[in-house]
Amino acid sequence: MTQPNLDAVKHYLLDLQDRLCEGLAGADGSANFHEDAWQREGGGGGRTRVIEEGALFEKGGVNFSHVYGDKLPPSATAARPEMAGRGFHAVGVSWVLHPRNPHVPTSHGNVRFFIAEAEGQPPVWWFGGGFDLTPYYPHLEDVRHWHQVAQGLCQPFGDDVYTRYKSWCDDYFFLKHRGETRGVGGLFFDDLNEWGFERCFAFQRAVGDAFLEAYLPIIERRRHQPWGENERDFQLYRRGRYVEFNLVWDRGTLFGLQSGGRSESILMSMPPLARWEYDYHPEPGSAEAELDDYLRPRDWLNE
């Protein structure tokens, strides 16, 4: 097993941020990302890049961060109490895109690397990440394309990898208090170190490199579909579910806040506008009602 190489991971992630911003700004066509570099008082920092009020994206962000410290926060040691008191480095890129057109899905992804060290002991390290899709007016061909890309990037790493990480995504991005998935899933993995550093790092790169291949064709198919006040209201209502997940269930948000990360960057994932309506139910047979069939785990590629 090769030794973990934090510098190599960091170099890849900085390049990934550049490539994602270039591809997404190109898709938008009228707005660019502006960068906000920041430093963390406890150690580390990052560069937050945000796109707003574009032709396509109402708001989006692609964040790089590298934070470190002498002690892991509680959210990182809850399942690993033996690591309490270790110093750590956490480096990653996360991205969230909130298009204006309700027919273009919201999307999220991240790739990250943790390493925790203590004097006289071998380092403990792992990779995590994935990507997921949150449509408001879903189309089966889009969902299948999304999962075909996910399956394709997983295939070189084992026949069962897609199935495992697709299922993990369905389980993780689940709003327990609502009894529904956040969207149509994708991939989610965490604590990945079982293949050794080089192979795990290769898988992280495969996930990061595949995102634009998965997302940009969906954008192009849906960006010119007409919409009006009704579709906008439904989009904002469903964005409320996105906010609920991020604030109630998302471990990454909790880790960022507990580790003293920059709140503006951590909460960049929130949509610019959202709404809540008491006991809302879409009209049976409506386009809005069709979403219910997509908010549960399904075998998208074999149905």
Side-chain angles (χ1 to χ4, degrees), residues 43-161:
R47 57 188 199 188
T48 296
R49 292 181 179 172
V50 176
I51 189 169
E52 296 178 292
E53 299 301 327
L56 173 66
F57 296 116
E58 188 173 10
K59 180 186 175 187
V62 182
N63 290 350
F64 167 82
S65 66
H66 175 200
V67 300
Y68 51 85
D70 296 330
K71 184 179 179 181
L72 279 161
S75 61
T77 59
R80 293 170 173 258
E82 74 280 4
M83 288 172 47
R86 281 178 174 250
F88 75 96
H89 287 260
V91 60
V93 170
S94 63
W95 57 95
V96 179
L97 291 313
H98 293 289
R100 177 176 282 101
N101 188 326
H103 294 288
V104 182
T106 286
S107 188
H108 155 265
N110 73 85
V111 283
R112 58 190 183 272
F113 176 68
F114 290 86
I115 184 167
E117 299 174 294
E119 187 175 353
Q121 300 183 45
V124 177
W125 58 267
W126 65 89
F127 289 91
F131 50 62
D132 64 287
L133 192 71
T134 306
Y136 309 111
Y137 292 92
H139 296 266
L140 189 57
E141 66 174 319
D142 295 346
V143 180
R144 284 181 172 161
H145 163 76
W146 181 258
H147 281 273
Q148 283 167 351
V149 173
Q151 183 187 54
L153 76 89
C154 290
Q155 188 61 41
F157 297 90
D159 293 338
D160 66 332
V161 173

Side-chain angles (χ1 to χ4, degrees), residues 135-138 178-181 183-184 234 237-238 241 280-298 300:
Y136 309 111
Y137 292 92
R178 297 288 190 179
E180 64 187 30
T181 56
V184 297
F234 185 66
Y237 171 74
R238 290 302 311 180
R241 293 287 206 272
Y280 168 81
H281 296 281
E283 183 177 342
S286 66
E288 291 74 25
E290 291 181 12
L291 180 62
D292 287 346
D293 290 336
Y294 287 78
L295 300 181
R296 55 184 173 83
R298 288 169 57 176
W300 301 107

